[in-house]
Amino acid sequence: MSDHIKTMGQQFGRRSWAEPWKIKMVEPLTMTTREQRQRAIEEAGYNTFLLRSQDVYIDLLTDSGTSAMSDRQWAGMMLGDEAYAGSANFYRLEAAVQEYYGYRYVVPTHQGRGAEHLISKVEIKQGDVIAGNMYFTTTRVHQELAGGRFVDVIIDEAHDPTSLHPFKGNVDLDKLQRLIDEVGADKMPYVSIAGTVNMAGGQPISMANIRDVQALCHKHGIKVYLDATRMAENAFFIQEREEGYAHKSVREILKEFCSYTDGAWMSAKKDSLVNIGGWLAVNDANVFDKARNLVVIYEGLHTYGGMAGRDMEALAIGIEESVQDDHQRARIGQVRYLGELLNEWGIPIVQPIGGHAVFLDAKRFYPHIPQNEFPAQTLAAELYLDSGIRGMERGIVSAGRDPQTGDHRYPALELVRLTIPRRVYTQAHMDVTAEAVKAVYDQREATRGLQMVYEPEYLRFFQARFARL
Ligand SMILES: *Cc1c(COP(=O)(O)O)cnc(C)c1O
């Protein structure tokens, strides 16, 4: 652990980190009364995704597309080359992906799920099995729609919110080997690796683990693809926690990690500090050819993929900013500041504190609410009611139904994610947030669960509606 962070929160001899930027422009926030919030959450069917942002004070729904761009990125927006074909900004983006992630071929997409769609269509056949270090919502649904079945091979510690394992995003190699033995390598086109693992609480995967995953997969002719959405943040954890990496930069670690994989998809709305954008990158010319052909059907021409030229310019600059050590130290330091306050006050959160968010453990928060009465959905609604802070359910609602049986999936983790946008909120916002969580915690025994009154077929957490029991 770096000295800056180790001393955080100590009263004496304290040496704080601070953000490596200052504020040039501000965006006023709306303050609301409890009566207004009561009306708003009822209208939203107790689903924070259905709230209007005008009714939200501190918006911790997601870190996706919500980060603040730098003055350099905004200046880059003015350099947009909006040519339909061959935009100069695409070539800047392509060069940045090649330089910082190290892959050979780049296909731009409008955001991450666009890239997931393309790679799933190219690589997956009906009846295939995709192993991965815990599912992600959009990733898995594209794998399933392409005919695949997702199997979780993450280490058991990832499902235990109290485990202090430093790399809870690691793949369990025995589980992976057993799966290969059971279904056969010919049914497994690739293994789907994410860094950091969102659904486990923003937990990193180690360099040693990806090396072992690559060795095992390549022995069986299975590819390794990376969900690189928060891989720059993962690189910071490797620098901090893994032997041999303390003196390597985030930039070097990121590139080394990617070198053990055959390609990646990216939601640039996270690590890369832009409001919209994504890409798919691979090393195999044949896969590239197919993906580049599909992109013109689903996204746009292969030199813009659904992004404007100016978006690609901002993204190219954002990639460079995202791999700066000082940036990651402040970004992850802020998340940790919030988490450590909640720890001090005895509020149950996922340990260790992850990269992009603090995850409240709704099962321990509301032990009296059974999982099919949606404890995490309830907690997110209560937090909004208390103070206008918006978080997101990551539990039974997000897990959806098993396509085979039609039943709810019952995930071990029932969480509310307080996701911190990059470079947006101050330490005082983190204090206010922690105090609001404490107030809701103090009221926990009087809180009852919810029932679902409307359920969409796909990715139900986005649009489902609830009512109080
Ligand atoms: C957000 C996200 C995606 C999907 O990307 P979008 O840009 O939202 O389409 C995929 N994987 C992970 C890990 C994500 O966080």
Side-chain angles (χ1 to χ4, degrees):
M1 216 182 260
S2 87
D3 290 336
H4 295 278
I5 286 160
K6 224 184 320 189
T7 56
M8 227 177 58
Q10 291 176 3
Q11 292 305 309
F12 303 102
R14 172 168 163 159
R15 288 282 182 149
S16 294
W17 53 272
E19 290 79 0
W21 39 260
K22 58 183 176 171
I23 296 167
K24 177 148 25 195
M25 190 186 284
V26 299
E27 178 180 341
L29 298 173
T30 12
M31 313 294 282
T32 50
T33 63
R34 180 147 185 130
E35 290 67 41
Q36 287 171 319
R37 294 194 291 275
Q38 182 67 50
R39 224 176 309 125
I41 196 75
E42 271 169 33
E43 268 172 31
Y46 292 88
N47 184 346
T48 52
F49 275 103
L50 299 178
L51 287 168
R52 296 172 186 232
S53 74
Q54 296 289 300
D55 296 327
V56 174
Y57 170 37
I58 298 175
D59 202 347
L60 307 182
L61 183 74
T62 175
D63 62 332
S64 181
T66 54
S67 296
M69 294 210 297
S70 67
D71 53 356
R72 291 174 66 237
Q73 287 177 291
W74 279 107
M77 297 286 277
M78 294 305 293
L79 302 177
D81 170 8
E82 305 305 341
Y84 187 88
S87 162
N89 312 119
F90 168 71
Y91 298 103
R92 286 261 295 127
L93 169 59
E94 181 187 48
V97 174
Q98 289 165 338
E99 168 76 21
Y100 293 100
Y101 291 84
Y103 302 111
R104 212 165 296 154
Y105 305 111
V106 181
V107 180
T109 62
H110 77 286
Q111 61 184 85
R113 71 199 72 182
E116 291 170 340
H117 181 204
L118 300 181
I119 196 69
S120 301
K121 266 193 131 59
V122 170
E123 290 282 15
I124 300 173
K125 295 184 307 299
Q126 190 66 41
D128 280 350
V129 173
I130 310 298
N133 55 347
M134 205 175 267
Y135 84 99
F136 183 73
T137 53
T138 57
T139 315
R140 183 175 64 190
V141 87
H142 279 298
Q143 291 164 348
E144 288 173 348
L145 287 171
R149 176 168 66 91
F150 179 84
V151 179
D152 184 9
V153 293
I154 203 165
I155 58 172
D156 287 339
E157 287 87 340
H159 296 282
D160 173 5
T162 62
S163 161
L164 290 172
H165 193 293
F167 289 104
K168 287 167 92 173
N170 281 356
V171 169
D172 182 327
L173 293 152
D174 292 333
K175 284 187 196 169
L176 180 55
Q177 180 67 64
R178 257 180 276 133
L179 185 68
I180 296 170
D181 295 342
E182 186 189 310
V183 305
D186 57 324
K187 285 263 173 273
M188 298 175 64
Y190 65 89
V191 166
S192 181
I193 297 296
T196 58
V197 180
N198 192 350
M199 305 303 279
Q203 306 294 335
I205 163 173
S206 72
M207 195 74 86
N209 190 248
I210 191 67
R211 258 190 241 118
D212 290 345
V213 168
Q214 187 210 29
L216 176 59
C217 286
H218 286 190
K219 191 171 88 188
H220 291 277
I222 301 168
K223 289 180 192 166
V224 180
Y225 284 127
L226 174 67
D227 184 334
T229 297
R230 296 187 187 84
M231 195 58 225
E233 291 174 1
N234 197 122
F236 179 82
F237 284 107
I238 290 175
Q239 184 189 63
E240 193 181 68
R241 297 179 184 170
E242 192 162 354
E243 212 185 311
Y245 288 92
H247 300 294
K248 295 217 163 118
S249 64
V250 165
R251 176 179 172 171
E252 289 167 319
I253 295 168
L254 174 67
K255 198 158 178 181
E256 182 186 337
F257 194 100
C258 293
S259 75
Y260 301 120
T261 68
D262 298 284
W265 59 86
M266 179 76 186
S267 171
K269 305 174 69 169
K270 322 287 175 42
D271 266 356
S272 303
L273 301 159
V274 286
N275 304 121
I276 194 75
W279 46 261
L280 173 69
V282 295
N283 290 329
D284 182 311
N286 196 28
V287 173
F288 170 60
D289 219 45
K290 289 182 188 161
R292 190 172 54 164
N293 195 203
L294 287 178
V295 79
V296 300
I297 310 173
Y298 296 109
E299 302 281 315
L301 195 72
H302 59 277
T303 55
Y304 74 85
M307 285 179 282
R310 55 180 172 267
D311 298 332
M312 293 190 281
E313 187 66 25
L315 170 49
I317 298 167
I319 289 173
E320 191 191 318
E321 293 182 356
S322 73
V323 301
Q324 304 305 315
D325 289 22
D326 286 350
H327 164 68
Q328 290 299 351
R329 187 172 300 117
R331 190 287 184 277
I332 291 168
Q334 186 180 43
V335 174
R336 216 168 265 173
Y337 175 82
L338 173 62
E340 285 178 355
L341 275 181
L342 297 175
N343 269 342
E344 270 170 40
W345 298 344
I347 292 162
I349 64 172
V350 174
Q351 308 288 354
I353 298 158
H356 64 300
V358 173
F359 291 74
L360 307 176
D361 183 351
K363 276 190 184 169
R364 281 185 291 152
F365 205 103
Y366 291 139
H368 57 290
I369 301 181
Q371 199 168 13
N372 61 7
E373 293 175 9
F374 313 108
Q377 191 77 32
T378 305
L379 176 50
E382 290 298 326
L383 184 61
Y384 172 75
L385 268 172
D386 178 83
S387 48
I389 293 166
R390 169 156 73 171
M392 178 198 291
E393 194 261 11
R394 278 299 183 219
I396 185 169
V397 184
S398 295
R401 289 183 187 271
D402 186 313
Q404 259 83 47
T405 67
D407 292 340
H408 291 305
R409 290 170 167 127
Y410 285 84
L413 297 177
E414 178 71 23
L415 310 174
V416 170
R417 191 180 80 180
L418 303 176
T419 338
I420 317 300
R422 298 162 188 79
R423 310 193 292 206
V424 171
Y425 291 115
T426 66
Q427 192 154 319
H429 289 116
M430 297 301 107
D431 289 335
V432 167
T433 300
E435 290 157 14
V437 173
K438 177 74 166 70
V440 172
Y441 191 60
D442 291 343
Q443 295 294 315
R444 64 193 179 278
E445 275 155 27
T447 305
R448 279 164 302 130
L450 297 168
Q451 62 184 115
M452 204 184 317
V453 294
Y454 167 69
E455 179 175 358
E457 186 177 355
Y458 298 111
L459 302 174
R460 63 182 184 178
F461 59 96
F462 282 131
Q463 292 155 336
R465 301 183 68 83
F466 300 82
R468 273 206 197 282
L469 275 172

